[in-house]
Amino acid sequence: MSDQIILRVATKIVVPPIVLFALYVQFHGDFGPGGGFQAGVILAAALILYGLVFGLRRTQKVAPSWLVRTCASLGVLIYALVGVEGIVLGGHFLNYSVFFPLHPEEGQHLGILLVELGVMVTVFGVMATVFYFFAARGREDL
Amino acid sequence: MELVLTFLLLAFLGATALGVAKTRNLFSAVVLAGIFSFLSAGLFTVMDAVDVAFTEAAVGAGVSTVFYLATLALVGGKVRAPEIRITTVKEKQTARTPRFPLVVVVVTGAILIYGTLDMPPYGEPNNPIHRHVTPRYLEETDEEIGVPNVVTAVLASYRGYDTLGETTVVFTAAVGVMMLLSRLKKRDELGEEPWGEEPVESLDVGFGALEPSLESGDRLAEGEGRAEELAT
């Protein structure tokens, strides 16, 4: 689709706000609707839109295959490590209150933020990986 | 106003579902499925479940539509009549007559509707689901977590364990897709079976049935025969 000038220009205009919106959904999830899962999907949607218009090769210059695959597993790792950190600091698994024993809410805030970050990273990685695999199949140069 | 909106959305939802089931063109089925997701997202919004609506719009209408379209680009966009048959001998005899599935569906539906008669009335504030842990979450979140969005607090903190499991499931799904598609890709490149000595015929049948150029009936019958051979 890279010969369609309207699609190319529109995509270039639209992709940065989509990425920004994903970050907004991620970091504003404590206050409004949204969170890691939605943010990850929106971030992946930006990448997929770019990939549909400009092709797989140019997309993989932005986010190489190994990177999105690492993201997929890294997010789960972040999540689990935040949980283990609770044990290390003397609480239960996934109990964030012990991060700041004097201010449990601050700990909860930090824990939720990190955990949602893990969810976003995994969901983004998974969606991008699946898209890469679908797009790469059956054609040598997309 | 809200009631009108709900009924309108439900009516469109039903119409789209029928359209998906009726159409033989897979491309329009995919687009209709996307519309179905958007309508569900609208319904969730009417019910004040904004987070769920958000997810439905992003995943159901956005990303999965793209994945469906990517699949269609690989396998072709049209099917003949639905000719998928079940392989066991007993079911082969009964499944041919169209009345049997109808009876099964009607009876199952009747049982399910009978089951809902025992459910508490919809949206009643005194229902068990609203009296168990929900009040605690709603009342204590502000003090314990300090996060205005209770959904986020429940998801990431109170039920953080569940969300860890969900994230792992999403990750596992990606691993499954990677294993399946990279194996198929390897077979394309090498021109041989990556599945080991015994070729898995059922998978071939599954993909072959969607290809428009193939005589799907013959192909299926062939697969059936081989599956029976493997079973014996």
XYZ file of all heavy atoms in Angstrom, chain A residues 21 25 29-34 37-38 41-42 48 69 72-73 76 79 93-94 96 105 108-109 112 116 119 122 126-127 129-131 133-134 137, chain B residues 50-51 54-55 58-59 63 66-67 70-71 73-74 143-149 152 156-157 160-161 163-164 167 170-171 174 178 181-182 184 188:
567
model
N -1.355 8.813 22.738
C -2.597 8.413 23.409
C -2.385 7.129 24.207
O -2.900 6.996 25.325
C -3.696 8.224 22.357
C -5.022 7.887 22.944
C -5.653 8.750 23.833
C -5.655 6.699 22.620
C -6.875 8.435 24.381
C -6.882 6.392 23.166
C -7.487 7.250 24.044
N -3.134 6.742 28.068
C -3.995 5.698 28.631
C -3.239 4.916 29.693
O -3.791 4.556 30.740
C -4.490 4.768 27.506
C -5.140 3.531 28.076
C -5.474 5.497 26.617
N -4.247 5.672 33.713
C -5.135 4.571 34.062
C -5.579 4.580 35.511
O -6.633 4.039 35.848
N -4.784 5.212 36.393
C -5.183 5.292 37.799
C -6.362 6.229 37.991
O -7.103 6.113 38.962
C -4.028 5.833 38.653
C -2.802 4.972 38.569
O -2.861 3.959 37.850
O -1.802 5.305 39.207
N -6.522 7.175 37.072
C -7.514 8.232 37.288
C -8.731 8.103 36.381
O -9.809 8.522 36.747
C -6.868 9.605 37.064
C -5.663 9.813 37.920
C -4.397 9.616 37.428
C -5.816 10.170 39.244
C -3.292 9.785 38.239
C -4.712 10.342 40.061
C -3.446 10.155 39.558
N -8.526 7.568 35.193
C -9.633 7.424 34.267
C -9.662 6.030 33.703
O -8.902 5.173 34.146
N -10.545 5.787 32.745
C -10.567 4.464 32.127
C -9.256 4.184 31.411
O -8.629 5.083 30.861
C -11.728 4.539 31.136
C -11.959 5.982 30.918
C -11.553 6.668 32.171
N -8.875 2.941 31.429
C -7.648 2.552 30.736
C -6.702 1.849 31.668
O -6.994 1.639 32.838
N -3.344 -2.956 29.682
C -3.812 -3.782 28.575
C -4.223 -2.928 27.380
O -3.758 -3.139 26.255
C -4.991 -4.642 29.049
C -5.307 -5.767 28.123
C -4.614 -6.959 28.209
C -6.277 -5.633 27.160
C -4.887 -7.991 27.341
C -6.555 -6.656 26.294
C -5.864 -7.843 26.383
N -5.069 -1.925 27.653
C -5.529 -1.066 26.564
C -4.362 -0.308 25.947
O -4.271 -0.175 24.723
C -6.570 -0.076 27.087
C -7.881 -0.697 27.492
C -7.926 -1.065 28.954
O -6.896 -1.339 29.563
N -9.108 -1.074 29.538
N -2.376 -2.481 23.624
C -3.058 -2.737 22.359
C -3.001 -1.504 21.462
O -2.763 -1.602 20.255
C -4.517 -3.166 22.618
C -5.267 -3.248 21.308
C -4.561 -4.496 23.315
N -3.182 -0.314 22.047
C -3.178 0.906 21.233
C -1.778 1.143 20.658
O -1.624 1.491 19.486
C -3.647 2.106 22.077
C -5.120 1.929 22.426
C -3.461 3.404 21.323
C -5.614 2.915 23.431
N 1.042 -1.512 13.956
C 0.395 -2.303 12.910
C -0.063 -1.401 11.771
O 0.095 -1.739 10.597
C -0.781 -3.103 13.509
C -0.243 -4.222 14.404
C -1.653 -3.684 12.416
C -1.300 -4.940 15.199
N 9.710 -9.426 20.576
C 9.676 -10.724 21.257
C 10.183 -10.587 22.688
O 9.627 -11.170 23.615
C 10.524 -11.733 20.492
C 9.674 -12.721 19.742
C 10.532 -13.750 19.085
N 10.677 -13.463 17.672
C 11.400 -14.212 16.849
N 12.041 -15.258 17.311
N 11.467 -13.916 15.579
N 7.555 -9.082 24.858
C 6.495 -10.004 25.256
C 6.851 -10.737 26.541
O 6.007 -10.930 27.419
C 6.210 -10.989 24.130
N 8.115 -11.164 26.665
C 8.481 -11.888 27.879
C 8.905 -10.940 28.996
O 8.706 -11.234 30.170
C 9.591 -12.888 27.580
O 10.527 -12.323 26.706
N 6.002 -9.822 31.483
C 5.650 -10.809 32.510
C 6.703 -10.807 33.605
O 6.388 -10.890 34.797
C 5.511 -12.211 31.881
C 5.097 -13.220 32.926
C 4.508 -12.187 30.750
N 6.320 -7.823 35.886
C 5.181 -8.057 36.781
C 5.579 -8.989 37.920
O 5.384 -8.694 39.104
C 4.026 -8.656 35.961
C 2.669 -8.484 36.566
C 1.602 -8.067 35.788
C 2.445 -8.740 37.916
C 0.350 -7.905 36.321
C 1.195 -8.582 38.455
C 0.150 -8.165 37.660
O -1.079 -8.005 38.195
N 3.495 -11.821 48.437
C 3.668 -11.699 46.991
C 2.655 -10.706 46.447
O 1.463 -10.797 46.756
C 3.474 -13.081 46.365
C 3.758 -13.131 44.891
C 5.018 -12.854 44.405
C 2.766 -13.489 44.009
C 5.285 -12.921 43.049
C 3.024 -13.563 42.645
C 4.278 -13.275 42.165
N 3.118 -9.745 45.655
C 2.277 -8.718 45.043
C 1.615 -7.789 46.060
O 0.584 -7.206 45.786
C 1.189 -9.332 44.141
C 1.678 -9.918 42.815
C 0.554 -10.673 42.125
C 2.198 -8.835 41.894
N 2.017 -4.372 47.479
C 2.861 -3.208 47.198
C 2.995 -2.268 48.391
O 3.803 -1.355 48.352
C 2.327 -2.406 46.005
C 1.762 -3.218 44.885
C 0.491 -2.959 44.398
C 2.496 -4.239 44.307
C -0.032 -3.705 43.362
C 1.976 -4.990 43.271
C 0.707 -4.727 42.803
O 0.189 -5.449 41.796
N -0.066 3.899 50.688
C -0.704 4.271 49.419
C 0.337 4.605 48.356
O 0.156 4.282 47.186
C -1.615 5.486 49.593
C -2.632 5.374 50.678
C -2.472 6.519 51.640
O -2.468 7.682 51.205
O -2.308 6.213 52.829
N 1.423 1.454 47.014
C 0.402 0.909 46.106
C 0.458 1.613 44.759
O 0.363 0.986 43.713
C -0.996 1.079 46.720
C -1.254 0.199 47.921
C -1.490 -1.250 47.529
O -1.659 -1.560 46.360
N -1.482 -2.133 48.515
N 0.627 2.947 44.798
C 0.711 3.728 43.562
C 1.849 3.216 42.701
O 1.675 2.925 41.514
C 0.970 5.212 43.893
C -0.254 6.047 43.841
N -0.891 6.333 42.657
C -0.971 6.638 44.806
C -1.947 7.066 42.909
N -2.023 7.269 44.215
N 1.222 -0.397 41.398
C 0.252 -0.446 40.308
C 0.878 0.083 39.029
O 0.709 -0.495 37.947
C -1.018 0.354 40.690
C -1.786 -0.394 41.768
C -1.898 0.584 39.485
C -3.003 0.336 42.275
N 1.270 -2.276 35.803
C 0.602 -1.894 34.559
C 1.609 -1.721 33.439
O 1.328 -2.034 32.279
C -0.184 -0.586 34.755
C -1.336 -0.709 35.732
C -2.620 -1.128 35.033
O -2.556 -1.556 33.870
O -3.684 -1.030 35.665
N 2.226 -5.117 32.147
C 1.118 -5.569 31.299
C 1.221 -4.920 29.925
O 1.095 -5.586 28.891
C -0.234 -5.240 31.958
C -1.373 -5.586 31.021
C -0.394 -5.984 33.261
N 4.082 -6.425 27.813
C 3.755 -7.762 27.311
C 2.715 -7.705 26.202
O 2.886 -8.310 25.141
C 3.241 -8.650 28.455
O 4.344 -9.013 29.260
C 2.601 -9.906 27.923
N 3.269 -8.943 22.470
C 2.512 -10.081 21.931
C 1.793 -9.690 20.648
O 1.880 -10.375 19.624
C 1.518 -10.589 22.992
C 0.504 -11.514 22.365
C 2.255 -11.295 24.105
N 1.088 -8.545 20.683
C 0.326 -8.130 19.506
C 1.262 -7.886 18.320
O 0.976 -8.301 17.193
C -0.460 -6.847 19.797
C -1.519 -7.017 20.861
S -2.809 -8.130 20.323
C -3.674 -8.419 21.841
N 4.259 -9.170 17.862
C 4.831 -10.435 17.412
C 3.862 -11.188 16.512
O 4.226 -11.671 15.439
C 5.192 -11.317 18.624
O 5.995 -10.560 19.519
C 5.931 -12.543 18.204
N 2.597 -11.265 16.972
C 1.604 -11.989 16.178
C 1.448 -11.327 14.813
O 1.391 -12.003 13.777
C 0.261 -12.047 16.934
C -0.820 -12.636 16.050
C 0.399 -12.865 18.198
N 1.432 -9.992 14.793
C 1.289 -9.288 13.516
C 2.479 -9.580 12.605
O 2.305 -9.868 11.413
C 1.175 -7.782 13.759
C 1.222 -6.978 12.494
C 0.181 -7.045 11.585
C 2.313 -6.185 12.193
C 0.218 -6.325 10.409
C 2.366 -5.463 11.020
C 1.315 -5.532 10.123
N 4.359 -12.177 12.562
C 4.324 -13.546 12.062
C 3.290 -13.704 10.954
O 3.539 -14.382 9.958
C 4.046 -14.520 13.208
C 5.301 -15.078 13.787
C 5.987 -14.391 14.770
C 5.815 -16.271 13.326
C 7.162 -14.886 15.284
C 6.985 -16.779 13.838
C 7.656 -16.083 14.817
N 2.132 -13.047 11.137
C 1.103 -13.124 10.094
C 1.585 -12.430 8.831
O 1.410 -12.926 7.724
C -0.189 -12.476 10.578
C -1.121 -13.439 11.234
C -1.048 -13.664 12.589
C -2.071 -14.122 10.492
C -1.901 -14.554 13.199
C -2.915 -15.006 11.096
C -2.827 -15.231 12.454
N 4.358 -14.204 6.751
C 4.077 -15.515 6.186
C 3.571 -15.394 4.745
O 2.725 -14.573 4.442
C 3.019 -16.211 7.021
C 2.990 -17.687 6.787
C 2.096 -18.385 7.734
N 1.260 -19.327 7.011
C 1.738 -20.344 6.326
N 3.018 -20.558 6.250
N 0.925 -21.155 5.686
N -16.716 1.538 31.298
C -15.881 2.213 30.291
C -14.604 1.438 30.004
O -14.164 1.375 28.859
C -15.521 3.638 30.740
C -15.658 4.583 29.589
C -16.378 4.095 31.888
N -14.016 0.859 31.053
C -12.772 0.132 30.836
C -12.974 -1.044 29.889
O -12.170 -1.280 28.997
C -12.224 -0.360 32.180
C -11.607 0.763 32.990
O -12.355 1.460 33.688
O -10.392 0.943 32.903
N -13.542 0.157 26.376
C -12.248 0.570 25.821
C -11.508 -0.645 25.236
O -11.054 -0.653 24.080
C -11.434 1.179 26.956
C -10.417 2.177 26.520
C -9.967 3.133 27.419
C -9.912 2.168 25.251
C -9.034 4.054 27.039
C -8.972 3.095 24.868
C -8.530 4.030 25.766
N -11.415 -1.697 26.063
C -10.717 -2.895 25.619
C -11.405 -3.510 24.410
O -10.746 -3.917 23.448
C -10.655 -3.924 26.759
O -10.355 -3.234 27.955
C -9.616 -4.960 26.492
N -10.640 -1.516 21.311
C -9.250 -1.612 20.853
C -8.928 -3.010 20.347
O -8.336 -3.171 19.273
C -8.302 -1.223 21.986
N -9.320 -4.025 21.113
C -8.947 -5.395 20.749
C -9.928 -5.971 19.735
O -9.534 -6.431 18.653
C -8.898 -6.300 22.005
C -8.502 -7.698 21.611
C -7.934 -5.747 23.013
N -7.547 -4.539 16.652
C -6.442 -5.442 16.349
C -6.921 -6.769 15.770
O -6.361 -7.267 14.793
C -5.595 -5.659 17.617
C -4.513 -6.676 17.369
C -4.968 -4.353 18.047
N -7.710 -6.663 12.147
C -6.495 -6.682 11.325
C -5.951 -8.102 11.205
O -5.545 -8.552 10.125
C -5.440 -5.737 11.925
C -4.114 -5.898 11.208
C -5.898 -4.303 11.822
N -5.969 -8.848 12.329
C -5.463 -10.221 12.283
C -6.320 -11.089 11.369
O -5.817 -11.902 10.598
C -5.409 -10.817 13.688
C -4.292 -10.257 14.528
C -4.320 -10.349 15.897
C -3.206 -9.643 13.926
C -3.291 -9.836 16.667
C -2.178 -9.116 14.683
C -2.224 -9.217 16.055
N -5.446 -10.244 7.898
C -4.154 -10.830 7.536
C -4.325 -12.311 7.213
O -3.725 -12.829 6.257
C -3.157 -10.640 8.676
N -5.167 -12.993 8.001
C -5.417 -14.403 7.720
C -6.091 -14.575 6.368
O -5.735 -15.462 5.587
C -6.319 -15.002 8.822
O -5.845 -14.572 10.082
C -6.330 -16.504 8.750
N -5.862 -12.652 3.821
C -4.897 -12.407 2.755
C -4.095 -13.667 2.462
O -3.634 -13.867 1.342
C -3.957 -11.270 3.155
N -3.951 -14.535 3.467
C -3.183 -15.761 3.265
C -4.035 -16.883 2.691
O -3.566 -17.653 1.849
C -2.570 -16.221 4.594
C -1.534 -15.300 5.217
C -1.091 -15.860 6.557
C -0.339 -15.155 4.300
N -8.885 4.804 50.717
C -7.985 4.839 51.862
C -6.789 3.913 51.672
O -5.652 4.282 51.944
C -8.770 4.410 53.102
C -8.234 4.989 54.396
C -9.170 4.652 55.532
O -10.357 5.057 55.468
O -8.724 3.955 56.441
N -7.071 2.682 51.191
C -6.020 1.664 51.139
C -5.088 1.863 49.953
O -3.885 1.644 50.056
C -6.649 0.268 51.050
C -7.208 -0.205 52.374
C -7.754 -1.603 52.269
O -7.993 -2.076 51.142
O -7.960 -2.215 53.322
N -5.649 2.197 48.800
C -4.843 2.273 47.577
C -4.608 3.724 47.181
O -3.564 4.064 46.642
C -5.523 1.518 46.417
C -6.083 0.183 46.903
C -4.579 1.340 45.252
C -5.129 -0.952 46.914
N -5.611 4.573 47.388
C -5.458 5.969 47.023
C -5.514 6.224 45.541
O -4.902 7.155 45.041
N -6.251 5.355 44.810
C -6.357 5.503 43.361
C -7.822 5.776 43.022
O -8.691 5.037 43.473
C -5.866 4.209 42.658
C -6.315 4.168 41.227
C -4.363 4.109 42.741
N -8.097 6.839 42.279
C -9.505 7.160 42.007
C -10.240 6.099 41.189
O -11.424 5.873 41.403
C -9.426 8.476 41.208
C -8.062 9.005 41.446
C -7.188 7.846 41.715
N -9.554 5.468 40.227
C -10.212 4.475 39.389
C -10.219 3.121 40.104
O -9.196 2.450 40.202
C -9.490 4.361 38.043
C -10.227 3.454 37.064
O -11.218 2.840 37.426
N -9.731 3.379 35.855
N -8.983 -0.012 38.207
C -7.533 -0.202 38.193
C -7.056 -0.767 39.517
O -6.206 -1.673 39.544
C -6.836 1.138 37.909
O -7.315 1.651 36.680
C -5.332 0.975 37.820
N -5.147 -4.304 39.451
C -3.695 -4.364 39.613
C -3.279 -4.633 41.044
O -2.148 -5.061 41.266
C -3.059 -3.065 39.127
N -4.159 -4.377 42.017
C -3.723 -4.556 43.395
C -4.502 -5.648 44.131
O -3.934 -6.661 44.516
C -3.847 -3.237 44.141
O -3.297 -3.372 45.423
N -4.306 -8.561 41.888
C -3.058 -8.540 41.135
C -2.608 -9.926 40.708
O -2.035 -10.100 39.638
N -2.920 -10.907 41.537
C -2.550 -12.279 41.235
C -3.221 -12.749 39.953
O -2.582 -13.349 39.087
C -2.999 -13.149 42.413
C -2.116 -14.323 42.671
C -0.909 -14.174 43.345
C -2.494 -15.589 42.251
C -0.102 -15.260 43.583
C -1.683 -16.674 42.494
C -0.493 -16.512 43.164
O 0.303 -17.587 43.391
N -4.339 -10.875 37.540
C -3.838 -10.142 36.380
C -2.477 -10.675 35.951
O -2.178 -10.723 34.757
C -3.761 -8.643 36.703
O -5.003 -8.247 37.271
C -3.527 -7.830 35.459
N -1.678 -11.112 36.928
C -0.406 -11.758 36.576
C -0.680 -12.996 35.730
O -0.026 -13.225 34.700
C 0.368 -12.124 37.834
C 1.666 -12.910 37.628
C 2.637 -12.115 36.792
C 2.298 -13.288 38.950
N -1.729 -11.928 32.220
C -0.581 -11.496 31.419
C 0.193 -12.706 30.924
O 0.635 -12.749 29.772
C 0.333 -10.597 32.265
O -0.478 -9.675 32.985
C 1.295 -9.827 31.411
N -1.625 -14.213 27.991
C -1.389 -13.461 26.756
C -0.031 -13.835 26.174
O 0.118 -14.082 24.975
C -1.464 -11.943 27.038
C -1.022 -11.151 25.839
C -2.877 -11.553 27.413
N 0.958 -13.916 27.055
C 2.301 -14.292 26.624
C 2.301 -15.701 26.031
O 2.892 -15.941 24.971
C 3.252 -14.201 27.820
C 4.609 -14.761 27.573
C 5.466 -14.143 26.665
C 5.043 -15.897 28.228
C 6.718 -14.661 26.428
C 6.285 -16.414 27.992
C 7.129 -15.807 27.088
N 1.062 -15.832 22.525
C 2.065 -15.421 21.541
C 3.038 -16.555 21.270
O 3.408 -16.814 20.123
C 2.817 -14.187 22.033
N 3.733 -18.265 17.669
C 5.092 -18.317 17.126
C 5.475 -19.744 16.769
O 6.018 -19.992 15.684
C 6.082 -17.764 18.158
C 6.150 -16.256 18.179
S 6.839 -15.641 19.705
C 8.545 -16.002 19.476
N 3.260 -20.904 13.580
C 3.534 -20.265 12.300
C 4.983 -20.452 11.874
O 5.268 -20.571 10.693
C 3.180 -18.773 12.355
C 1.678 -18.488 12.331
C 1.433 -17.013 12.178
C 0.981 -19.232 11.229
N 5.931 -20.487 12.824
C 7.316 -20.654 12.388
C 7.531 -22.077 11.893
O 8.335 -22.313 10.998
C 8.287 -20.304 13.510
O 8.055 -21.125 14.607
N 5.198 -23.840 10.292
C 4.618 -23.865 8.955
C 5.546 -23.186 7.965
O 5.704 -23.626 6.839
C 3.261 -23.172 8.953
C 2.148 -23.931 9.665
C 0.928 -23.060 9.782
C 1.823 -25.191 8.898
N 7.318 -24.537 4.500
C 7.257 -23.882 3.199
C 8.645 -23.789 2.585
O 8.833 -24.017 1.388
C 6.687 -22.466 3.343
C 5.189 -22.509 3.524
O 4.628 -23.609 3.379
O 4.594 -21.460 3.819
